[in-house]
Structure formats: structure tokens, C-alpha cells
Amino acid sequence: MKLNQLTAAPGATKDAKRIGRGHGSGNGKTAGKGHKGQKARAGHGMRPGFEGGQMPLQRRIPKRGFNNIFAKEVVSVNVGSLNCFEDGAQVDVQALKEAGILKKSGDALKILASGELTKKLTVKADAFSEAAKAKIEAAGGKAEVV
């Protein structure tokens, strides 16, 4: 098969709608635009959400909530997912990224207690839940707050 022999599957393509080519075409004379008015003119078009001067919906409905621009994005990792590291390893944000556990680093890293830890690790993070700290130390490791 050659590139010049490729064709679309039957029914996959449609002919373009030929507008303004006589009344027998079904789209002659006014070319599907009706008679006069703003929408019949060339270059017409109103912005999305325009309601003809009526107060638009996005301005009628009340505003809700608050977006704190100073909020810190805390990324959490469960203790159970730290078992992929070798015994005695140093676990920090960089190591978690390289292991594929963290996709994005965020502003802070918190270790949570879901799952079981079987390896002795030194974990460096911005925060630990009490139960996570206990599990890391019970496995013989260290939980260091950075």
C-alpha cells in the first residue's frame, strides 16, 4: 500500500455544505441566514453568554466561596507506598519523584499512616501524622521534619 492509495472509509467523509448556490440546493438566496437582522450580516457575532442586553446569567447568579491566594498545596503520601524503597534508604521529595510516587511536588509533603511499613527508612518531610510517625519508628526508621 502506498500513501497515494489511502482513502477514507465509506461514509467517513461528507461533502461540504454549498451555501448560496440557488434555491434548488435548499440553501440559496439568503444562504440559511434568514431575512436581515444582526445575525444575517457579515462579521456578526456576539460574545459567548451575550443575552441581548439582558443581565447575563454569569452576572445574575451570586458569587460563592473564596480563593485563598496564599494557600499552601500539601501533597500527601501514605506510609504503605514507601515499601518500594530499600532498607536504610533516605526518602525525601526527590526520591519520591524518582520512584514515581509523587507526580508533582506542591508546597509541602505530609506523610499519612495508611498501610503498613516493613522497611527501616529515614523519611524527610514537612509534616507527619502522629500514627505515621509511630509506624515509621516502629519499623526502626526515623521521621525527620524538614
Side-chain angles (χ1 to χ4, degrees):
M1 179 177 282
K2 296 181 180 142
L3 285 176
N4 66 336
Q5 295 172 333
L6 291 174
T7 57
T13 59
K14 280 184 176 177
D15 291 336
K17 189 176 185 183
R18 297 187 73 231
I19 287 173
R21 293 293 179 271
H23 65 83
S25 70
N27 275 302
K29 194 184 172 214
T30 54
K33 287 178 173 277
H35 289 275
K36 300 186 183 176
Q38 185 178 12
K39 293 182 182 174
R41 313 293 187 205
H44 96 86
M46 291 146 296
R47 66 184 178 275
F50 182 69
E51 296 186 21
Q54 173 174 302
M55 187 62 67
L57 182 68
Q58 71 268 23
R59 289 186 60 196
R60 287 199 305 267
I61 57 178
K63 289 192 285 186
R64 289 274 296 143
F66 169 73
N67 186 20
N68 184 1
I69 60 169
F70 301 108
K72 301 278 186 257
E73 187 184 359
V74 179
V75 181
S76 59
V77 173
N78 286 316
V79 161
S81 57
L82 300 179
N83 282 317
C84 67
F85 294 100
E86 286 120 32
D87 245 347
Q90 290 258 356
V91 180
D92 57 355
V93 176
Q94 192 60 40
L96 289 167
K97 269 189 172 178
E98 287 167 8
I101 295 170
L102 276 187
K103 298 288 182 264
K104 55 181 183 169
S105 55
D107 296 314
L109 170 67
K110 184 169 184 173
I111 308 295
L112 302 179
S114 181
E116 290 303 317
L117 183 65
T118 56
K119 307 219 172 124
K120 181 181 174 181
L121 302 171
T122 304
V123 185
K124 295 181 178 182
D126 297 294
F128 295 87
S129 69
E130 287 297 319
K133 202 171 198 174
K135 283 185 181 183
I136 291 167
E137 288 166 358
K142 281 186 200 166
E144 295 178 11
V145 177
V146 180

